[in-house]
Amino acid sequence: SLKLKNFERLRSGEWASGYKTAYSNTTQCITDAPSISGPNHASITTGVTAAKHKVIAKGGIIKGNFAEWPLAISRIKQQKETLRIGFYHNWKEDGDFPLAPGILRLKGNDCSNAQLAADKLRNNQLDVVQIFFGLMDGAGHTTGFYPYSKRYREQAQEADRLLGILLDALVERSEFQNEDWLVIVCSDHGGWGRQHSSGNSHCRTTELLISGRNVTPGEIAGVPVTADIGVTLLNHFGISIPELDGQVRGKKPWTPEPGKEKTLCFSLAPFKEQNAVWLIASAGKTELTIRAQKEKNSTSVKVTAVLHKSGKKQVELGPYLASATEPGGWELSFHNNLIILTQFMSDGTFYRTSA
């Protein structure tokens, strides 16, 4: 499986003493715009949806309503003028966001941006950093948004390396032990095939990590959206704006109700480039690995699912057959210590196995 060591040490809270992390595997794009970067970058940075920021298409940031709904970092700069804030990006359209005077803006490639931001963080020259990485998006559009894509895996590992550079820079600050940092990691969208604009659940679903000294660890309650990031950032600085659409996340964990299922959704990739497909879903320290192998001279797929906990094999689910022509959606549920794996088919039927 793909190992992202810095992502995992952030998720576990092990990246710094005294820090705890909340997470969501089911964070969603905003619902009033396509699952593309412009509208969701705008929601991440402002804390509102497209109905207010007015970014609904590619090239739309320059036309956005940021006079009425400014970026969260601009609000922070306006209320706390002494804070040194940096905004780093590699996508040209992010350069169209208007920033409050005094905010450092830098466009460059992901590697140089991470290193430059890390140097300033380490040397106590920045107090707030917002940085967008684009390398995984580029790989997804080139070879597919899937873990079996070699380039996508490589770029995921590179993004993980850059995350590590930034985390290490924070810890190496001379006054880090006396500071209260909030680290938020999210994506603006998911992906399906080589695109993410179709709006299906695979394109609209992503992850969210929030780590801080005062964060409640564990799975985040409810279904976060990209607009929550800006609101959560503002809350960290004691700024509350009721008119914003997002919610503060990382304060209330998900707790199961008696008799209720907790569901993680993920997808089976289409068989276009190779016969075998690997999928991974995780819940805390539990990881489910699915291997789908297309049967020779057949439309069927042999699916083997293996559940791991803390790195040790616990139980094997399957194998069983599913249709390769209509991959459908997969659902992983935990109910009364029962692991339930379901594939929903396009005709309304489904296959289910449990252990």
Side-chain angles (χ1 to χ4, degrees):
S1 62
L2 180 62
K3 300 299 182 182
L4 303 174
K5 64 178 184 179
N6 294 304
F7 185 90
E8 288 304 322
R9 69 186 179 110
L10 177 63
R11 184 183 175 113
S12 67
E14 297 174 356
W15 71 280
S17 176
Y19 278 74
K20 303 174 289 293
T21 302
Y23 67 90
S24 169
N25 301 313
T26 56
T27 301
Q28 298 292 298
C29 296
I30 54 173
T31 59
D32 57 353
S35 51
I36 59 177
S37 293
N40 285 283
H41 280 210
S43 290
I44 288 169
T45 55
T46 63
V48 299
T49 69
K52 292 176 180 174
H53 63 56
K54 304 301 182 184
V55 180
I56 58 173
K58 185 177 180 180
I61 291 177
I62 197 170
K63 305 172 185 176
N65 183 22
F66 303 114
E68 186 175 359
W69 305 104
L71 274 62
I73 56 175
S74 291
R75 293 183 186 271
I76 293 168
K77 184 64 176 177
Q78 289 164 352
Q79 295 196 30
K80 300 178 182 293
E81 295 181 2
T82 60
L83 290 180
R84 297 156 299 178
I85 302 176
F87 180 73
Y88 295 76
H89 64 95
N90 72 348
W91 188 42
K92 181 181 178 181
E93 287 190 32
D94 284 333
D96 293 330
F97 281 120
L99 301 178
I103 294 179
L104 170 67
R105 185 202 299 269
L106 184 63
K107 180 182 181 300
N109 64 60
D110 291 338
C111 184
S112 65
N113 279 350
Q115 192 60 64
L116 289 169
D119 289 344
K120 286 187 175 294
L121 286 170
R122 184 181 297 107
N123 295 319
N124 302 312
Q125 295 174 338
L126 281 176
D127 305 302
V128 182
V129 170
Q130 184 156 32
I131 183 167
F132 284 108
F133 292 145
L135 68 179
M136 289 183 66
D137 184 70
H141 284 298
T142 303
T143 61
F145 288 89
Y146 300 122
Y148 65 73
S149 161
K150 179 181 178 182
R151 179 163 177 78
Y152 192 73
R153 291 169 63 90
E154 290 173 346
Q155 294 305 296
Q157 290 173 325
E158 175 64 5
D160 183 68
R161 185 185 73 85
L162 300 182
L163 173 62
I165 289 174
L166 293 167
L167 294 177
D168 290 344
L170 286 178
V171 176
E172 292 165 7
R173 288 170 65 92
S174 60
E175 294 297 318
F176 178 75
Q177 295 303 320
N178 300 318
E179 296 174 329
D180 181 17
W181 285 86
L182 186 72
V183 178
I184 304 175
V185 175
C186 68
S187 177
D188 52 348
H189 53 70
W192 177 253
R194 298 182 184 181
Q195 55 82 34
H196 51 73
S197 59
S198 62
N200 63 31
S201 61
H202 319 295
C203 297
R204 305 196 72 87
T205 304
T206 183
E207 288 224 10
L208 171 65
L209 298 179
I210 303 172
S211 189
R213 296 188 185 276
N214 299 305
V215 169
T216 302
E219 188 169 2
I220 296 171
V223 181
V225 295
T226 49
D228 295 340
I229 284 84
V231 176
T232 302
L233 175 61
L234 288 168
N235 176 261
H236 182 67
F237 289 94
I239 301 172
S240 175
I241 302 173
E243 295 78 16
L244 299 183
D245 297 319
Q247 299 180 41
V248 176
R249 298 293 182 176
K251 300 296 185 182
K252 181 181 179 182
W254 175 83
T255 53
E257 297 179 38
K260 297 289 186 179
E261 292 186 8
K262 174 56 187 166
T263 300
L264 295 178
C265 295
F266 54 103
S267 61
L268 178 63
F271 297 87
K272 292 183 178 179
E273 298 182 346
Q274 61 186 59
N275 289 338
V277 177
W278 288 89
L279 297 162
I280 298 172
S282 61
K285 293 184 178 180
T286 300
E287 180 180 270
L288 184 80
T289 303
I290 297 175
R291 185 176 189 274
Q293 176 70 50
K294 189 173 183 181
E295 301 265 306
K296 188 175 182 180
N297 300 321
S298 172
T299 61
S300 296
V301 176
K302 182 179 180 180
V303 179
T304 302
V306 180
L307 184 73
H308 300 263
K309 192 169 184 178
S310 300
K312 296 181 180 180
K313 177 179 174 181
Q314 299 292 305
V315 63
E316 183 167 317
L317 311 176
Y320 68 102
L321 297 180
S323 168
T325 57
E326 290 289 344
W330 290 87
E331 181 177 276
L332 173 64
S333 302
F334 297 89
H335 181 64
N336 295 334
N337 296 319
L338 188 69
I339 302 123
I340 303 170
L341 187 65
T342 307
Q343 186 194 22
F344 297 93
M345 309 305 294
S346 60
D347 61 0
T349 62
F350 61 86
Y351 297 92
R352 174 170 287 170
T353 187
S354 61

